[in-house]
């Protein structure tokens, strides 16, 4: 009797294990197959990114540990380039200009773009026209805009500032003075960027559920409370992403500075990008210039890590 009970229990256990195996294994097969198919679609973009971004990055990091003029064979010198870099005043001046540039670039255009987007959200007539006008500067090449501002606005002979001087208005070319050269370039770059942010924010705000806004107004919320408690949290992901991209783009600024001031007067508007370019292609110290590029990449990597940590915390809430 006992043996029959034991055999029955073994049979039941075997059935249970078969059922458990079926329940566990069956859903995995289509999931793994789907993941494999998704990887096939992602693979081309991944290969392009690795070949275009990762390979130059490895080469730049490797060259930063060498003494190479771009012609002869590079010589490995360890951390000598970085030791020289940290001991030079022009590096710290360029880094300070980069940090100042980024701190203003990431705050003023972001705030102004968000404010104008909120105003446009309430505009019923002419909204599309405003979007086109605000977005237009970002569609024009940087070289063209920089030359327009340099020759037709700031110039004391052919620009608007020169005309104002002739009629008695005390204005001077900001690019000619060490105290204002960086701010003169930064103003043009921010003017070029804030309209783009406005259009992006307006698109995100228009995706917010209108029932949430209507419910907030019915509960007696003011416009400011609706903005801070409903609209801004709803577009938080967009704001954080644009902030990350703004930090990265502003820190690797090169074209605006090089075209409008070439880093001058003196080193007043020098940034790491122009310093790396001059070191590599005017002084033919490619290995040393690579150390500047590595420092720029490290700052950008830090911004990405901070953004990802904030995004993970937001998704966990």
């Amino acid at each position: 009797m006992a043996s029959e009970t034991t055999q029955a229990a073994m049979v039941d256990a075997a059935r249970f294990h078969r059922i458990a195996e079926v329940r566990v294994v069956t859903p995995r097969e289509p999931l793994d197959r789907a993941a494999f198919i998704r990887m096939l679609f992602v693979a081309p973009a991944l290969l392009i990114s690795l070949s275009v971004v990762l390979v130059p990055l490895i080469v730049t990091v490797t060259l930063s540990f060498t003494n190479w003029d771009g012609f002869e064979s590079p010589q490995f010198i360890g951390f000598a380039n970085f030791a020289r870099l940290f001991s030079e005043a022009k590096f710290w001046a360029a880094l300070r200009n980069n940090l100042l540039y980024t701190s203003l670039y990431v705050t003023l255009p972001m705030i102004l773009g968000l404010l104008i987007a909120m105003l446009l959200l309430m505009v019923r007539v002419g909204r599309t026209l405003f979007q086109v006008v605000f977005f237009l500067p970002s569609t024009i090449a940087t070289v063209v805009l920089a030359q327009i501002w340099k020759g037709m606005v700031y110039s004391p002979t052919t620009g608007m500032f020169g005309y104002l001087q002739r009629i008695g208005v005390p204005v001077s070319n900001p690019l000619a003075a060490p105290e204002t050269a960086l701010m003169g370039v930064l103003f043009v770059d921010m003017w070029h960027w804030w309209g783009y942010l406005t259009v992006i924010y307006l698109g995100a705000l228009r995706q917010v559920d209108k029932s949430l806004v209507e419910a907030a107004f019915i509960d007696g919320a003011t416009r400011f409370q609706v903005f801070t408690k409903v609209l801004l949290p709803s577009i938080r992901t967009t704001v954080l992403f644009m902030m990350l991209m703004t930090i990265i783009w502003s820190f690797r600024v090169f074209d605006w500075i090089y075209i409008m001031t070439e880093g001058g007067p003196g080193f007043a508007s020098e940034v790491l990008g122009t310093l790396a370019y001059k070191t590599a292609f005017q002084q033919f110290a490619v290995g040393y210039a690579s150390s500047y590029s590595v420092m720029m990449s490290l700052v950008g990597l830090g911004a990405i890590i901070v953004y990802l940590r904030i995004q993970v915390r937001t998704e966990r809430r």
Side-chain angles (χ1 to χ4, degrees), residues 225-305:
Q225 290 173 330
V226 170
F227 171 70
T228 57
K229 303 296 183 182
V230 179
L231 294 177
L232 193 57
S234 299
I235 64 170
R236 182 175 179 175
T237 304
T238 302
V239 173
L240 289 176
F241 179 73
M242 294 312 301
M243 184 179 294
L244 169 69
M245 300 308 298
T246 303
I247 292 174
I248 294 175
W249 286 333
S250 64
F251 205 85
R252 60 184 180 86
V253 59
F254 170 79
D255 43 5
W256 291 104
I257 297 289
Y258 193 77
I259 295 170
M260 299 185 74
T261 65
E262 296 187 14
F267 293 103
S269 60
E270 199 80 80
V271 292
L272 292 179
T274 55
L275 200 56
Y277 176 82
K278 293 177 180 177
T279 305
F281 299 105
Q282 295 179 3
Q283 303 175 12
F284 299 103
V286 180
Y288 186 45
S290 299
S291 61
Y292 288 118
S293 302
V294 170
M295 295 304 299
M296 292 174 58
S297 300
L298 289 178
V299 175
L301 181 63
I304 293 174
I305 292 174

Side-chain angles (χ1 to χ4, degrees), residues 68-87:
W68 188 43
D69 59 1
F71 301 100
E72 299 179 355
S73 299
Q75 299 174 350
F76 181 76
I77 57 174
F79 289 93
N81 283 332
F82 292 96
R84 176 187 170 189
L85 180 147
F86 291 135
S87 64

Side-chain angles (χ1 to χ4, degrees), residues 32-47:
D32 294 340
R33 191 180 300 114
F36 178 73
I37 293 174
R38 287 196 293 270
M39 285 300 298
L40 288 180
F41 282 102
V42 174
L46 185 62
L47 290 175

